[in-house]
Amino acid sequence: MTADAAATNGLSWGAAWHIARRDLNARFRGLRLLLICIFLGTAALAAIGTLTASIERELQSSGRELLGGDLEVEVWQRDLNEDELLALGEYGAISGGYRMQAMATTDSAAAPVELKAVDAQWPLYGTFTLSDGRTPGAPSASDAYLAQGALDRLDIEVGDRFRVGTMTLTAAGVIENEPDRLSEGFQLGPTVLVARNVPGSAGLIQPGSLFQSKYRIAFADSSADPEAVEEALTEAFPNAGFDFRSRDRASPGADRFVRQMSDFLTLVGLAALVIAGIGIAGGVSSYLDQRRSSIATLKVLGASSRDIVRIYALQIAVAASLGSALGLAAGVLVTPLLGAALDGLLPVESGFVIEPAPLLLAGAYGLLVAFAFAAAPLLRARSFPAMALMRSRIVPLTRDRRALLATGTGIAAICVLALLTTAQPWLSGGFLIGAGGALALLAGLGLLLQWGARKLPRPANPLLRSALSNIYRPGAPTGALVTALGFGLASFVLLAAIQSAIDGNIQSRVPREAPDYFVIDVPPEREGRFFDLVQTRFPDAQLRTVPTLRGAILAFGPEDSMQRVADLEEIPDGAWALRGERGITYSDTAPEGSRVVDGTWWSPMHDGEPLVSIDKQFADAAGLKVGDMLTIGILGAERPVRIANLREIDWETMGFNFTLVFSRNAIADAPHKLAATIDLPASADPELRGELLRAMVQEFPSSSLVEVGEVLVQARVLLEQVGLATLAAAAVAVLAGLAVLMGAIAAARAARTYDTVVLRVLGASRRQILGLQLAEYGLIAAALALVALALGSGLAWVIITQLFEFDWLPDWGAVLAVLGLGLAMVLAFALGGSLPLLRAKPAQALREL
């Protein structure tokens, strides 16, 4: 290419890269903030996408194994009859069994367990494994396989004998892998796996006993649609009270939790991107400001504006690509740590997982953000002549509208990509709109702060007067500082509000005061003996018993136009009581923890029309009112009842809470047992506790006891796992916020060099210069505190109440303390960033202007 052609067409990409490479510091000095922000944003999105995709793939690919079949049919308090079994058998191989709470005992110990009785066909899918490596399938008639927790509680080893009900069993192995464990849901004791006939032989299955019959079907035609089979069985047996689960929703609770975590992590990733973008803009502006003289020199030597863009765009592209690559690697490396935090809650692959789609998406986001937020400062430097660049320290450059257009185009591309790739477009769209509103708010606050500083009376103190003037003087970086500090401080508030709100829910949802024991399947005719058994050992014990049955709502609504539940295409939101069977009871008086808010309670021993009291929240969701009718299915029989009243229920108590409470004459004739709570004195002797448990098992072998303390521990552990995973994810936003804080102060420091040199020449001391910096940042940070509190707590409220559906219970003292810590860090960073200014040599600095 000739010299004239070069002058006309500018530098080639090769020549531009040659100059860029020579000018690019090997340690990326000046571009480190851009690199760090890209790294954090990309790492967050890579980890989030990889973890979510891995869990979803595991749930989808292992649906049959997690469920134990293609379709599960469940009923309470009865087994399937011959016609129902024949209908199930038409679709393929079936495996059936029972699930119930039971007590396992030895001569010296007793432990509540989850008894799982299976037939010889179990498991239909997956492999059952013992800790010694054996894969035996279902146990024989007198053997049992136990979870390690059951062995520990009973203080026995493999080969020892123990009792369940009236039957003696042998501990034949320790459970290592139970393929359908996740689909069984929350358990109230360690698992004991036995043969199908054991519950009946042990006297645990009696009329009115609370147990589940579960049947899994492995379709002969693997392409059969589980929903179609479910509809056919529901139509054939409309009053059977079947609950269904399919391979596509093997663990509805896990699916729901995955969706919630995915939504939360999406918000965290987008927040990290927004904060990183602000840091990138500041970092590139600072870098190009440091290269101001080089850019001006290149222009004087004949470089065109396009040449300038090519040279520095290549440098920025190298830093952004390296940051993205390191972020992708970090995202893959951190995924096992997040998976470990969710272990036991969700099926997460162990080790490192490579998911190409989310990694490509994270890399695309990183590069798009770099382009969008680096375009404005880059084009700004391109558009001005050499003399303006050389004088920019003294006469600030004006804004370039074309640069703003490029930034707007990049941000629009990010928004489109976010909306096209998210599973929750409304959520992501709402967040992006909120982030845009927050940026506009902070920009407006920056202008308002400058206007207010200009209008305020000039303080007598010269330091405060200078600090106030620095906020609104020409070229002041107030707008950039307000935006960066606002989002940085908001990230601190976000983390503190989320963590304290989760801790608050742990404290409120897992009560400190609760009964010591729940007991189920107490025979009504032996209620007096049950009381004697407890009160002879603990005279001050508090006991309460209630009748317990299982029933399903088959139809509901006004008497002349009732809606069959089986005919609903979709259950109304909040009307969860319409889904399958649930616990019901009868009572002559309103239960403790309930308050009648509409209608009246029936009189004791009511013998008129059968009545029912229902939860008001459920009534509102289902569109029910006092006087409407329900049809209840109990053990295959339909029972019509009229709604007598609506109740508000305190679900946070650990007592008996029932959505449906009937009058005695409505359901008391159905076979049923009693459930009881036992609250022992705080000073109860542990030896007497053990004696009580053993005596109860001996006299009530068919009853099951649950230690509430163990349940509370499990609940706390689960919530703490959620909190840990949430904290780890939200910490990414805080790290991005810290990087932005440091970057904003570093960028502002470059602009302060000239001011500091002039002040030192005029006789200002080091202490005065440091005081001036602290005063300026202190005024800005104080003005931002309330805004950061509103932004951070607002996003935390969305995450806690809308995504996790927890109560909004933040510890405002802790939130304000963390905000105060953030403000202190701003001042500390400002102080640290000001120290290099004091080392600047006036003569050298003035020559470089």
Side-chain angles (χ1 to χ4, degrees):
M1 180 181 294
T2 66
D4 292 339
T8 302
N9 299 323
L11 294 174
S12 66
W13 282 106
W17 169 242
H18 181 73
I19 296 174
R21 181 169 54 84
R22 292 185 62 183
D23 191 44
L24 187 65
N25 189 282
R27 291 177 294 178
F28 290 92
R29 184 175 182 180
L31 286 174
R32 291 172 188 167
L33 178 62
L34 178 144
L35 195 150
I36 290 171
C37 288
I38 290 289
F39 168 78
L40 289 173
T42 305
L45 288 172
I48 289 165
T50 300
L51 178 67
T52 303
S54 174
I55 293 172
E56 289 177 346
R57 188 184 71 245
E58 191 73 12
L59 286 172
Q60 292 172 1
S61 64
S62 305
R64 286 188 174 95
E65 182 175 329
L66 293 175
L67 180 66
D70 293 290
L71 185 69
E72 178 185 89
V73 181
E74 174 189 307
V75 292
W76 280 86
Q77 293 186 285
R78 70 178 184 90
D79 201 352
L80 299 190
N81 60 41
E82 185 175 348
D83 291 339
E84 292 167 340
L85 288 173
L86 288 174
L88 267 60
E90 292 178 1
Y91 296 100
I94 61 174
S95 172
Y98 308 109
R99 310 291 186 272
M100 64 185 66
Q101 294 301 125
M103 289 293 294
T105 63
T106 63
D107 292 338
S108 59
V113 298
E114 181 182 275
L115 196 66
K116 180 174 180 176
V118 297
D119 61 16
Q121 286 71 44
W122 181 87
L124 294 175
Y125 293 102
T127 303
F128 172 65
T129 308
L130 298 177
S131 60
D132 59 8
R134 287 181 294 154
T135 56
S140 63
S142 60
D143 288 340
Y145 302 130
L146 290 78
Q148 184 62 52
L151 290 170
D152 294 341
R153 295 291 302 278
L154 295 173
D155 194 21
I156 60 175
E157 298 178 353
V158 174
D160 292 342
R161 298 169 70 82
F162 67 98
R163 293 182 299 278
V164 172
T166 60
M167 190 170 181
T168 299
L169 299 169
T170 300
V174 181
I175 298 172
E176 176 70 23
N177 177 53
E178 189 181 349
D180 55 356
R181 173 65 263 167
L182 187 63
S183 69
E184 301 287 1
F186 187 79
Q187 63 185 63
L188 299 177
T191 301
V192 173
L193 190 71
V194 297
R196 178 192 169 96
N197 67 308
V198 167
S201 300
L204 300 178
I205 295 182
Q206 300 176 7
S209 296
L210 288 177
F211 67 94
Q212 296 170 284
S213 295
K214 288 191 176 185
Y215 286 82
R216 278 77 177 266
I217 310 172
F219 291 157
D221 179 6
S222 60
S223 63
D225 182 9
E227 290 189 6
V229 176
E230 179 180 333
E231 291 176 2
L233 291 173
T234 300
E235 184 177 351
F237 305 98
N239 300 327
F242 289 158
D243 283 338
F244 295 95
R245 275 194 290 174
S246 70
R247 64 194 179 207
D248 300 324
R249 45 186 177 88
S251 181
D255 291 341
R256 178 171 174 268
F257 184 68
V258 168
R259 287 194 300 271
Q260 289 176 326
M261 285 300 294
S262 177
D263 293 344
F264 164 68
L265 295 173
T266 298
L267 287 182
V268 170
L270 291 174
L273 274 179
V274 171
I275 297 173
I278 295 168
I280 289 167
V284 173
S285 295
S286 176
Y287 177 69
L288 293 178
D289 187 68
Q290 296 173 25
R291 293 291 186 271
R292 172 181 53 84
S293 298
S294 299
I295 295 172
T297 302
L298 287 171
K299 285 196 170 188
V300 168
L301 294 176
S304 66
S305 295
R306 185 173 63 177
D307 296 336
I308 299 299
V309 170
R310 284 189 176 184
I311 291 170
Y312 289 97
L314 285 170
Q315 292 183 357
I316 293 169
V318 169
S321 299
L322 179 61
S324 294
L326 293 175
L328 294 177
V332 172
L333 292 174
V334 80
T335 301
L337 300 179
L338 292 175
L342 297 173
D343 186 37
L345 291 175
L346 296 170
V348 184
E349 290 186 50
S350 60
F352 300 108
V353 179
I354 304 295
E355 293 284 348
L359 293 179
L360 288 174
L361 183 62
Y365 270 127
L367 296 178
L368 263 178
V369 169
F371 163 77
F373 288 93
L378 187 60
L379 293 178
R380 192 178 176 203
R382 166 190 183 275
S383 303
F384 293 94
M387 188 57 66
L389 287 168
M390 288 184 174
R391 291 176 54 82
S392 62
R393 291 288 178 104
I394 304 172
V395 182
L397 299 175
T398 58
R399 294 187 179 275
D400 184 355
R401 294 183 178 179
R402 289 174 297 177
L404 295 178
L405 178 62
T407 299
T409 302
I411 293 175
I414 294 170
C415 294
V416 170
L417 182 62
L419 294 175
L420 291 178
T421 56
T422 182
Q424 299 289 338
W426 287 106
L427 178 70
S428 297
F431 175 81
L432 291 171
I433 292 172
L439 283 171
L441 174 66
L442 290 171
L445 181 63
L447 294 175
L448 181 63
L449 194 60
Q450 289 179 303
W451 178 85
R454 188 179 295 112
K455 295 297 182 182
L456 284 174
R458 297 175 66 82
N461 186 298
L463 286 180
L464 288 179
R465 186 167 61 247
S466 298
L468 203 61
S469 300
N470 279 344
I471 292 176
Y472 65 84
R473 67 178 176 78
T478 304
L481 280 174
V482 165
T483 302
L485 297 182
F487 272 100
L489 291 173
S491 68
F492 279 80
V493 174
L494 170 69
L495 184 67
I498 287 177
Q499 188 60 35
S500 65
I502 290 178
D503 289 342
N505 277 272
I506 292 176
Q507 297 301 321
S508 66
R509 296 190 176 209
V510 185
R512 295 185 180 277
E513 295 184 5
D516 292 276
Y517 302 104
F518 275 115
V519 186
I520 58 177
D521 289 344
V522 177
E525 66 275 10
R526 302 195 65 200
E527 181 179 4
R529 177 55 188 156
F530 175 79
F531 274 73
D532 291 342
L533 191 68
V534 177
Q535 291 177 336
T536 53
R537 292 168 175 80
F538 300 99
D540 296 330
Q542 297 180 5
L543 291 89
R544 182 187 171 202
T545 59
V546 297
T548 55
L549 303 86
R550 300 289 298 188
I553 299 175
L554 304 178
F556 64 98
E559 187 172 6
D560 57 351
S561 58
M562 296 184 68
Q563 170 69 55
R564 300 289 297 187
V565 175
D567 296 335
L568 289 173
E569 293 185 3
E570 186 176 4
I571 299 296
D573 289 339
W576 49 269
L578 298 178
R579 292 188 175 93
E581 292 188 342
R582 63 196 58 262
I584 59 177
T585 190
Y586 61 86
S587 177
D588 291 332
T589 58
E592 295 180 13
S594 296
R595 183 172 66 91
V596 175
V597 295
D598 190 6
T600 58
W601 200 265
W602 48 83
S603 60
M605 305 305 293
H606 169 79
D607 60 358
E609 182 180 23
L611 302 174
V612 65
S613 171
I614 67 174
D615 174 37
K616 187 179 186 304
Q617 289 184 346
F618 163 63
D620 292 340
L624 292 169
K625 61 183 183 300
V626 173
D628 287 346
M629 298 292 293
L630 298 180
T631 299
I632 305 297
I634 301 176
L635 297 175
E638 294 190 10
R639 296 170 182 251
V641 293
R642 188 175 299 279
I643 298 175
N645 59 72
L646 309 180
R647 289 171 295 124
E648 287 185 348
I649 303 174
D650 182 4
W651 293 104
E652 293 182 359
T653 66
M654 286 293 289
F656 292 110
N657 293 311
F658 292 89
T659 301
L660 307 176
V661 179
F662 295 81
S663 59
R664 181 182 296 270
N665 64 332
I667 61 174
D669 59 323
H672 65 277
K673 296 290 181 71
L674 301 178
T677 59
I678 304 175
D679 194 0
L680 300 179
S683 59
D685 185 353
E687 292 187 6
L688 281 180
R689 284 175 179 261
E691 180 184 323
L692 173 63
L693 295 184
R694 291 188 292 274
M696 192 169 293
V697 171
Q698 184 176 359
E699 293 214 28
F700 296 89
S702 63
S703 300
S704 300
L705 183 144
V706 176
E707 290 186 88
V708 177
E710 292 295 322
V711 177
L712 298 185
V713 169
Q714 291 185 53
R716 285 183 184 276
V717 168
L718 290 176
L719 286 173
E720 285 168 359
Q721 280 185 277
V722 173
L724 178 61
T726 304
L727 179 65
V732 175
V734 174
L735 291 175
L738 284 173
V740 169
L741 286 177
M742 291 186 288
I745 291 171
R749 182 186 66 197
R752 293 285 188 269
T753 303
Y754 173 73
D755 302 338
T756 303
V757 166
V758 171
L759 288 172
R760 289 183 62 189
V761 169
L762 294 176
S765 67
R766 292 172 179 264
R767 178 179 298 179
Q768 288 175 321
I769 291 173
L770 290 178
L772 176 63
Q773 297 293 310
L774 291 176
E776 179 184 350
Y777 282 99
L779 290 172
I780 294 175
L784 283 173
L786 289 178
V787 176
L789 181 64
L791 289 176
S793 58
L795 180 55
W797 178 85
V798 171
I799 291 169
I800 292 294
T801 64
Q802 304 304 305
L803 295 187
F804 291 146
E805 298 179 6
F806 288 171
D807 294 329
W808 179 235
L809 300 172
D811 182 344
W812 289 111
V815 172
L816 293 175
V818 171
L819 178 59
L821 175 63
L823 293 172
M825 292 184 69
V826 168
L827 297 180
F829 289 156
L831 182 62
S834 300
L835 293 177
L837 299 179
L838 303 178
R839 295 194 295 268
K841 297 180 179 179
Q844 180 181 351
L846 291 173
R847 282 197 300 268
E848 292 177 352
L849 290 175

